[in-house]
Amino acid sequence: MAVYEADKDADKCIEIDPTFPRGYIRKAAVHLVKKEYSEAVEALNLAREHDKDNKCAREIQQQLMKAYAGMNPMSSSGNSDESPEETLKRAQQNPEIQRILSDPVMQQILQQMQENPMAAQEHLKNPQIAANVRKLMQAGIIRMG
C-alpha cells in the first residue's frame, strides 16, 4: 500500500513541476523498491537532465548505482542464487532477449564494447542501444564494471 501511495505522490510531483528533479528521484526510488531497474534508470536520467545546478547529483548517482547493481544479478551485491548456466537458460527463453541478441547491429555493438570499453560510452549515448544493454544486464547476459 505504501509503495502505491509513494508512486502516486511521485507522479503528482512530476505533474505539478516536470522540471523538479526530486520528483524523478522519488519515482526512481519507487521503481527500485518494485525491482523495476530499467525504469528507475530512465527516471534518474530525467532527474539528471533537470538537475541544472547539480544539487541532486550525488543522490542521483547513488540511486543509479543501486539500479545497475539490481540489474546485474551476477554482481557480488546481486540477490541471485542462479548459476551462470541457469541465468543464460532463463534469458534465452525470453523473446525480447532473443530479439536483441539476434540483431546483427547489436551483435556488432556488443563485440565492439567488449573489445574497446571507450566504444561502450559512445554506443550508450544512443537511447535505444542503452535500453537494449540495460535489458541484457537485467537478464544477466552481460556485466559492466
Side-chain angles (χ1 to χ4, degrees), residues 65-79:
M65 290 174 61
K66 288 179 187 177
Y68 284 124
M71 290 172 122
N72 188 357
M74 302 310 291
S75 71
S76 59
S77 60
N79 299 329

Side-chain angles (χ1 to χ4, degrees), residues 13-76:
C13 185
I14 293 167
E15 180 184 325
I16 291 170
D17 184 358
T19 64
F20 184 56
R22 292 211 181 275
Y24 297 99
I25 293 170
R26 291 176 185 148
K27 186 70 174 175
V30 170
H31 286 306
L32 287 173
V33 168
K34 294 165 66 176
K35 299 185 189 299
E36 298 171 347
Y37 303 115
S38 294
E39 292 85 350
V41 170
E42 290 173 23
L44 291 163
N45 285 334
L46 287 169
R48 184 181 283 157
E49 280 180 33
H50 296 295
D51 187 26
K52 302 292 185 205
D53 51 4
N54 290 325
K55 287 184 179 177
C56 303
R58 179 182 230 167
E59 186 176 2
I60 292 168
Q61 187 60 36
Q62 289 171 341
Q63 295 281 35
L64 277 169
M65 290 174 61
K66 288 179 187 177
Y68 284 124
M71 290 172 122
N72 188 357
M74 302 310 291
S75 71
S76 59

